């Protein structure tokens, strides 16, 4: 499984180190959010990695909803049940919840299909900041704190019309940013295609914290810094 370098597993307990989480964010998701950097003050494991590990453990279901309950830290022991329940919560060894999952419909454990789905989805996530979130913020005249750009993955849902596919292409079809004071709620709707065939739809929600009036120079600097992280990682 292509995820093997990015987690540790003993019995049914999975943990992710800062180095593994950062490598997944940069090498697989192309996500350069500083919150995933090694030694970041508010480090957390990428939500996309937690989502991908869940699919690797329990398979890909036709209908799935993932709600993120908390930020996973360095080497947090996450308990994955041996039983493939339809609804479950991934908690640490003290019972603190981090991810609630609801599933229904048919399930596939085909590693090729799961990897195709994960790679397509996380690649889409990696493009969100520069190509989706920044234009939306500019349109509404707001920006996140450039010193601490906190963008939190809140939830994701997907509805697959079929599990018959060998590759997946994800495309954004609708987007919205609702502002409430210093908080911004983002909704991204997407479609999933295999070739020309529509095989599913989905929705992702994020929370932007610490919003303030836009400063074009600071926004540009933040974007350049993000691109700099990307270039440094690929060097």
């Amino acid at each position: 499984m292509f995820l093997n370098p990015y987690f540790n597993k003993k019995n049914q307990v999975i943990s992710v180190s800062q180095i593994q989480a950062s490598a997944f964010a940069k090498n697989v998701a192309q996500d350069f959010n500083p919150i995933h950097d090694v030694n970041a003050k508010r480090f957390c494991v990428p939500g996309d990695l937690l989502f991908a590990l869940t699919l690797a453990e329990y398979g890909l279901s036709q209908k799935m909803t993932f709600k993120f309950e908390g930020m996973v830290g360095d080497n947090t022991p996450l308990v994955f049940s041996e039983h493939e329940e339809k609804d479950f919560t991934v908690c640490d060894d003290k019972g603190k919840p981090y991810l609630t999952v609801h599933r229904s419909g048919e399930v596939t454990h085909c590693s090729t299909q799961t990897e195709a789905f994960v790679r397509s989805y996380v690649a889409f996530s990696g493009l969100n900041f520069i190509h989706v979130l920044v234009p939306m913020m500019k349109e509404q005249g707001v920006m996140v704190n450039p010193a601490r750009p906190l963008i939190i993955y809140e939830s994701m849902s997907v509805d697959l019309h079929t599990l018959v596919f060998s590759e997946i292409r994800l495309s954004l079809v609708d987007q919205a940013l609702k502002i409430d004071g210093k908080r911004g709620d983002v909704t991204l709707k997407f479609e999933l295609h295999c070739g020309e065939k529509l095989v599913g739809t989905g929705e992702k929600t994020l929370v932007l914290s610490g919003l303030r009036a836009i400063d074009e120079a600071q926004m540009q600097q933040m974007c350049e810094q993000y691109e700099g992280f990307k270039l440094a990682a690929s060097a």
Side-chain angles (χ1 to χ4, degrees), residues 30-46:
Q30 294 290 292
D31 179 358
F32 301 93
N33 187 334
I35 203 170
H36 305 316
D37 285 346
V38 175
N39 299 321
K41 288 185 178 179
R42 295 194 66 184
F43 167 84
C44 79
V45 172

Side-chain angles (χ1 to χ4, degrees), residues 1-7 20 23-25 27-29 48-49 51-53 55-56 110-123:
M1 182 65 174
F2 81 105
L3 294 174
N4 286 344
Y6 306 111
F7 71 100
Q20 290 172 315
F24 175 87
N27 299 336
V28 180
D48 284 341
L49 178 53
F51 150 77
L53 290 172
L55 294 190
C110 172
S111 59
T112 299
Q113 290 176 312
T114 301
E115 180 173 345
F117 183 89
V118 168
R119 286 192 180 276
S120 178
Y121 181 73
V122 301

Side-chain angles (χ1 to χ4, degrees), residues 54-66:
T54 303
L55 294 190
E57 285 292 311
Y58 302 112
L60 180 63
S61 298
Q62 281 189 286
K63 295 181 184 291
M64 300 176 291
T65 300
F66 300 83

